Amino acid sequence: MVVDPVLWHDKRIKSLCKDPKMNLFADIRALVLSDIVAMSKASIIPNGLATNNVTVEPPRDAAHGDMSTNAAMVLAKPTGMKPREIAEALAERLLKDPRIISAEVAGPGFLNLRLSPVVWQGLIAAILGAGTAFGRSNIGQGIKVNIEFVSANPTGPLHVGHTRGAVFGDALASLLDFAGYVVTREYYINDGGAQVDVLARSVYLRYLEAHGQHVAFPDGTYPGDYLIDVGEALKAKVGKLYVGKGEDVWLNDIRSFATDAMMKLIKADLAALGVKMDKFFSEKSLYNTGLIEAALENLRGRGLIYEGVLEPPKGKKPDDWEPRKQTLFRSIEHGDDVDRPVMKSDGSWTYFAPDIAYHYDKVQRGYDLLIDIFGADHGGYVKRMKAAVSALSGGKVPLEIKLTQLVKLFKNGEPFKMSKRSGTFVTLRDVVDQVGSGVTRFHMLTRKNDAQLDFDFDKVLEQSRENPVFYVQYALARVSSVIDKAIEAGVLVDNKTLSESNLSLLINEEELALAVKLAEWPRLVETAARANEPHRIAFYLYDLAGTFHSLWNKGNELPELRFLQDDLVTSQAKIALARACAVVITAGLGILGVEAVKELR
RNA sequence: GGACCGUUAGCUCAGCUGGAUAGAGCGCUGCCCUCCGAAGGCAGAGGCCAGAGGUUCGAAUCCUCUACGGUCCGCCA
């Protein structure tokens, strides 16, 4: 395929390539829609047809063309016309646009389009101009979204399970930010329940130990070594003050001392993974401040709180079950299966009550959308939480709950057993220290959040095509290597020079294929954001890297495909393509929170 | 008893909110490297998308039921 270089100077095409977002699929869809309107004005088809379902997307098989649209099939039914008839009329009009060089009807009524190489060449210039902002979208329209994730109990360091939630939440946050949402990353500190009392007692034991006492750790306490330092620190702070004293004297003080220490630990863990929260919200701050009462009063005002007795759970009846009167939330009204208790029979709050108050607070802070990320073992909690938010916001604020499945650890292909007791307890820090945060993050995103994930300590470090982290980084390394060599050879490779270089020299099929893949990026960002699925970014990057490597490999046989040519002008055009690829990979890795490297060791 | 998630090539998994002949990596088969761009590359075989119904121009995708696996099910968070 050879293009008349003169075309590149066609102002009509250039003006159509100005949009910095450069979402070519959206652009062409807009063109299709405008031609549909034109066709109805010309009375070829009726007026006012719904076009929501008209799509322009990459065809399944690249041999079909660069883009394909289903417009004719979508319009066939409401118009009562044959798809092919519509498609042919549409094709005729589309061909009048300088960007479209061919439009063929295929299959049941698809319209396959080929775009002028000039468009792809223009895309390269646009990418270099926009840098890593290329592909940013405004589908979020500035919607304020709060993403709550990790929210591990402040009773110890983060483990692998938390790691997945942390990576997923952070990447989702970045993705939504990239797609035009205004994002808050938030961590809910469970510092109000019984487990922090257990923590305090465990720290107290370590404190006694620091004073030279020999202590035993009974069941129901945390025996972990990580509390030794906390015990020491407590001793340094209060000396002998609490030795030999009862809980009534020290519990409050040690509880807050210990949770502070644990949160410091957790924040350091998150930092090691590259996660930075915008806000930490304390459960404790909800108690004795009237906030829980206020949230429940809100529900009561809606007639959703009552005193009652729940049915016993079927199938698995606890031995000690007996009917008890409790304060219940009528969550059935908002889609739950049973009503849920907010107050225990002894008059204290259930864990659900502060959660209601917390989400009430989030609603009141004015978010348009809430997202919670839970471990899969909290799946049973989803409906009641959604019911609560639905009720508290009068149905105005949606709550999305994303579950992250288990991580199965492997070492060199063998399952790696975890056990708290035997001390083979794998923490976030263990993982990050061994393989690095970038590798950890990327790998955690190579599976859908709701599918189980295998994590092999050895395989994630392998340098082969099997390992997506390596494969993607390797593409970047090759680009930098090309650019370094170009600089040595005295080629100017600054962005401005490259984007103004003679890109019409990029006419090889393999080169344009890479540009076509790059063109998918803005569209992919939008679909990934809409689906709340950052793993799609990781898969795309792997795919893009594959396209790049494929072009590179072809250069082995066909020297004209190599990025460095004797002719400086040609080199610049080819390097422009390579750098555009690097720009998109870097942007994608940025969303995943993975550092882009320039070379591999 | 019920709820939620899952089931796609021998294995591990994608599949862009309903589109064309369902894809990738590994493994397998066959070709290709005398450091110049091979920490590899190219090509090929391999599928009843768990099963059965339904919805429509069209289903791996949406609905119902069934089977199997995982998670969960009142005073634990």
Side-chain angles (χ1 to χ4, degrees), chain A residues 508-522:
Chain A
N508 289 293
E509 207 177 313
E510 291 82 0
E511 291 166 342
L512 293 175
L514 180 55
V516 170
K517 184 58 72 181
L518 291 171
E520 286 178 28
W521 173 240

Side-chain angles (χ1 to χ4, degrees), chain A residues 157-161 163 226 268-270 272-273 409-411 416-420 423-437 439-440 444 455-458 460-461:
Chain A
L158 298 179
H159 58 68
V160 240
T163 309
Y226 58 90
D269 282 351
L270 289 173
L273 192 62
L409 291 172
F410 291 83
K411 186 131 184 85
F416 192 78
K417 293 266 185 283
M418 270 212 298
S419 153
K420 280 188 186 179
T424 54
F425 176 69
V426 180
T427 63
L428 177 150
R429 203 52 88 86
D430 293 334
V431 178
V432 171
D433 286 351
Q434 269 196 51
V435 306
S437 79
V439 168
T440 304
M444 293 262 174
F455 192 98
D456 190 306
F457 281 100
D458 299 303
V460 298
L461 292 177

